[in-house]
Every structure is written in C-alpha cells, then in structure tokens.
Amino acid sequence: MKLPLASSSLQSELDFILNFFKINYPYVRLYLVGGAVRDMVMEREIYDLDIECFNIDPNEFDKAMKKLGAKGVGKSFFVYKYNKVDLALPRIERKVGIGHRAFEVELALDSKEASRRRDFTMNALMLDLSNGEIIDHWGGLNDIKNRVIRVVDPKKFQEDSLRVLRAMQFAARLKFRIDPNSREIMRKISLDDLTGERVFWEFEKMFNAEWLYYGLFYMNDLLIGKKILGIELNIRELIKISRHMRKARTVEDSSMRPYYFLYIISTDLHKNAESLCKAIQTPNIYIKTLRTQTKVPYRITDRFLGAVSLRMPLRKWLGVYANNTVERAKKLDIYDKIFDPGVKPADLIKEGYSGKELGIELRRRILEAIRENFGVKS
C-alpha cells in the first residue's frame, strides 16, 4: 500500500509492518486511522502513522509486537510504537473519573465502534491497508470537502475537554470552519481539568499555523480565551487583531512565527505578554523572547526603528509586520543587522568621562547618532 506524500523512510516502515503481518498473522486486518488518512485525502504531507489491528486478541497482539520489535507505550491501552508508526488494538473508551487518564478501556468489536471515540469526523476516517478502501462511518469525507470540523459523538466528545482546544488549532492549521452544533457543544465544556502542559501543546500547534486568525476567532467563539487567558474579544477587537495576524503571516523570518499570536494580542489589547505566557505555561523561551520586544507604537518613525535596531536587526522585531516596516528597514539597512551608532564606552572613558556622566554622555551620543541617521520622520 503506497501512501501519497509520505517520506520514503515512513513508507519503508509501513511496508515492513505490512509484510510482517502478511507472513506471520495473515488473518489480521490492518487499518490506517486518524490524521494520516485525513491528510492523505487532503493531499497534505504525512509525518506519522496510526494503525489499528483487528481480529487479534490482546495476548497474541502483545507477542506479535515483541516479535516485531515495537515498544509498548501504554499497555493498558493496547498501544505500541514502531519508529514513527503507532500500532494499537481497536478500543472503546469510557470516562470513569477526572483528568485525561481516567478512562476505562475495552476492545471494540467493529470498525464503527472503534471510530466512534474519535473527536471529529475528519479524524474518524479509516483506510483498509489490504485494498486501499476508505471507511467513512461519520461523513468525514464530505466534511473535508466542505472544510468543516464536526464532532463525531457529542457524548464521547465531552469526555475529554482538550478536544475543544484541538478544534481551535485544527481550524487555524487547516482553514476549516467549525460546525455550529459542534460549537454549541464545545462552549458548554469546562476546561478546568486541563493541565498546563496539555494546554500549551495545543496552543503551540496553533502558534505555528498558517491561518492564525481562524484560531483567534475560535479561541474567542469557543470561550477558550475567556476560560484560560481571561480574554473575551468584542467584534472591533477581533477584526483589528485578525488583520494584524494576517499581515504577520507575510513576515520572512519563520523562526519568529511562534511568538506572533501572543505578541499581537498583548500589543493590541495592552495586556502583559508574560502573564499570557504563564496562563498557558509556555516554555521560558517564549517569556524571554517577548520580554525583548518593543510594542508597535501608534506612529512608526524611522527614528523609532533606529532605536529598536540598537538591540536587534528589524527582522527579529515582531512589530515588523506593521506599516510597510520591512521595506523601510531594508532601505535603512537595519533589517538584517543591528545599527552601530559608532560610539563606545571605552572611547568616552579616554575623553575623561566616568561614573554617572559616562552613562549620560553615552546615551546622548547614541541618540545623536540615531537622529543623524534616521532623523527624517516618516
């Protein structure tokens, strides 16, 4: 079974697994499930695979996985990993407590019951690896065609509140809208049981997404912003921030991309960026990066850009998306390099400056250099 847009190494792993079962367990039915099938249908690159193995009991499955050389990653859930491929038995999950680990698990007897536990119809597709047939119990193909995110089973969906955040980040990554009935279900779900680690995982996926403003809209619409960040946007704020996020997507330096979402929200809403980071428990690199950033002023002058470029080349300033700043920075020759004002403390010490006077004179000369180089206001 050849998968389009899968790397050669991933395809080799799949071929090895299929051959292993064909030789040793020919009666086992293998189905590719989850995001890989969705991405295949959408002609998107495939990075990892999830395979469900039918017609084999747990004990025999465990022996088969050991023979294959797969590593168990959750024996109570019948899940093993072979490099970038997850292999599992089809299962039914029932919520029995609080938290994402409080599930009771049993084997599913058919493909429809196995796929019922999936969050969205687009993720509930199954590909029969024996013949390439797509099994679609919940209308996922039609929803992908219409670019819609729709809940599979409302009762099952509510058993894991993280799925609300998954809807947000999928919308931003795929440019899909969320079905109105599904939105109503999600708004009613409490997010209090989510750990900071799980929250950040989903936000991080959105931060790197191509359509940030879709994520912004659903963060607000699904009350994620209100429940987690303490933010609820009115229509005017939503339009303003969305416009800035669309502009930010055109910035050349992709290494700065993960920070734009929090930067633009904190700038446009006059919020403290560090408090937003703490609310979703970002790694320290987010806080360190956002601390170095100057917010976008009401009016951007060349002199302001010169002052920013004392600390960083303008390509590293998150506000570079605003008001044709990239073109201006390149023209001023401060887009790729830090501005050198041509004055050093050692030179001033030689002139006799010291202590407080040294600091005052250094600042004066730096400002003078900025005025001389960037004095014409834009």
Side-chain angles (χ1 to χ4, degrees):
M1 177 70 204
K2 299 298 180 184
L3 297 179
L5 297 177
S7 67
S8 58
S9 61
L10 191 60
Q11 182 65 55
S12 295
E13 290 175 16
L14 176 61
D15 292 341
F16 180 81
I17 290 169
L18 293 179
N19 190 55
F20 169 83
F21 276 96
K22 182 178 180 180
I23 293 172
N24 298 285
Y25 306 92
Y27 49 86
V28 175
R29 296 298 298 267
L30 303 177
Y31 291 88
L32 186 65
V33 299
V37 187
R38 177 200 68 225
D39 290 341
M40 186 184 74
V41 171
M42 294 182 66
E43 299 182 348
R44 291 164 55 90
E45 188 170 356
I46 298 170
Y47 295 99
D48 47 43
L49 305 176
D50 290 298
I51 295 175
E52 286 187 349
C53 308
F54 287 74
N55 299 343
I56 184 170
D57 67 54
N59 290 332
E60 191 176 18
F61 180 67
D62 285 345
K63 293 176 183 178
M65 291 300 95
K66 290 175 183 177
K67 189 173 182 179
L68 177 66
K71 181 181 179 181
V73 293
K75 191 168 183 180
S76 62
F77 297 102
F78 323 114
V79 180
Y80 283 80
K81 182 175 285 291
Y82 180 80
N83 296 328
K84 291 186 177 180
V85 181
D86 284 0
L87 297 111
L89 294 179
R91 61 190 187 268
I92 298 171
E93 297 175 347
R94 293 187 180 88
K95 189 79 169 178
V96 293
I98 298 173
H100 69 284
R101 296 183 185 277
F103 282 89
E104 185 178 81
V105 180
E106 63 182 74
L107 286 179
L109 300 179
D110 60 63
S111 60
K112 185 170 185 177
E113 279 307 303
S115 63
R116 186 185 294 274
R117 71 181 181 85
R118 300 286 171 181
D119 48 10
F120 308 114
T121 59
M122 64 180 183
N123 294 333
L125 299 172
M126 306 175 72
L127 177 72
D128 189 331
L129 290 171
S130 67
N131 57 23
E133 179 187 356
I134 291 180
I135 311 300
D136 180 13
H137 292 296
W138 310 100
L141 288 174
N142 191 58
D143 283 341
I144 289 175
K145 179 181 178 181
N146 294 312
R147 307 187 75 83
V148 172
I149 296 172
R150 188 188 313 275
V151 167
V152 171
D153 183 299
K155 183 178 179 180
K156 292 289 184 185
F157 185 89
Q158 295 175 67
E159 292 181 342
D160 187 355
S161 55
L162 188 72
R163 291 173 164 184
V164 181
L165 275 67
R166 281 171 58 79
M168 171 188 71
Q169 57 95 347
F170 275 131
R173 287 167 54 199
L174 303 177
K175 200 178 181 181
F176 277 24
R177 60 186 176 84
I178 302 176
D179 154 67
N181 290 334
S182 299
R183 287 159 63 184
E184 285 297 324
I185 292 168
M186 293 183 214
R187 291 189 192 108
K188 297 175 182 177
I189 297 175
S190 171
L191 306 179
D192 292 344
D193 64 325
L194 294 177
T195 64
E197 184 179 44
R198 297 187 89 208
V199 168
F200 174 70
W201 282 347
E202 301 306 321
F203 268 94
E204 183 181 38
K205 292 171 187 174
M206 183 175 69
F207 292 160
N208 288 284
E210 188 168 354
W211 293 280
L212 275 180
Y213 52 96
Y214 267 62
L216 174 75
F217 175 83
Y218 286 115
M219 182 190 80
N220 196 57
D221 182 75
L222 302 178
L223 306 181
I224 297 169
K226 180 180 180 180
K227 295 174 182 177
I228 294 178
L229 295 173
I231 292 173
E232 192 167 15
L233 305 176
N234 59 44
I235 187 64
R236 186 174 181 178
E237 291 168 334
L238 189 63
I239 291 172
K240 177 184 177 181
I241 298 173
S242 294
R243 185 174 67 250
H244 290 165
M245 287 184 178
R246 285 195 293 269
K247 287 183 178 180
R249 191 61 192 174
T250 65
V251 173
E252 299 171 7
D253 193 338
S254 60
S255 69
M256 304 305 291
R257 187 171 297 160
Y259 310 109
Y260 268 106
F261 193 90
L262 294 176
Y263 173 79
I264 292 174
I265 286 180
S266 64
T267 296
D268 288 358
L269 297 181
H270 306 289
K271 297 280 186 179
N272 181 275
E274 187 169 340
S275 67
L276 298 180
C277 289
K278 289 179 178 178
I280 59 172
Q281 296 189 31
T282 65
N284 286 336
I285 186 61
Y286 279 79
I287 294 175
K288 290 179 180 178
T289 299
L290 291 168
R291 276 178 181 169
T292 67
Q293 296 294 321
T294 303
K295 292 186 177 182
V296 179
Y298 176 75
R299 185 165 181 264
I300 300 176
T301 65
D302 288 349
R303 190 177 296 181
F304 169 82
L305 297 179
V308 173
S309 70
L310 289 169
R311 294 181 289 108
M312 65 182 73
L314 266 294
R315 72 179 302 133
K316 295 296 183 183
W317 179 48
L318 290 171
V320 76
Y321 69 85
N323 300 334
N324 301 313
T325 299
V326 171
E327 292 78 6
R328 291 162 68 188
K330 288 180 177 179
K331 186 176 180 181
L332 294 168
D333 198 26
I334 52 175
Y335 182 70
D336 289 305
K337 62 183 181 182
I338 291 174
F339 171 61
D340 182 3
V343 55
K344 296 178 175 58
D347 296 332
L348 297 183
I349 291 173
K350 289 179 181 179
E351 294 180 25
Y353 290 97
S354 64
K356 185 177 180 180
E357 288 74 20
L358 174 63
I360 293 173
E361 181 62 15
L362 180 63
R363 177 175 174 78
R364 188 191 71 78
R365 294 199 189 183
I366 290 174
L367 291 175
E368 183 179 355
I370 292 174
R371 283 194 295 269
E372 288 177 357
N373 285 272
F374 312 103
V376 179
K377 293 185 177 181
S378 302

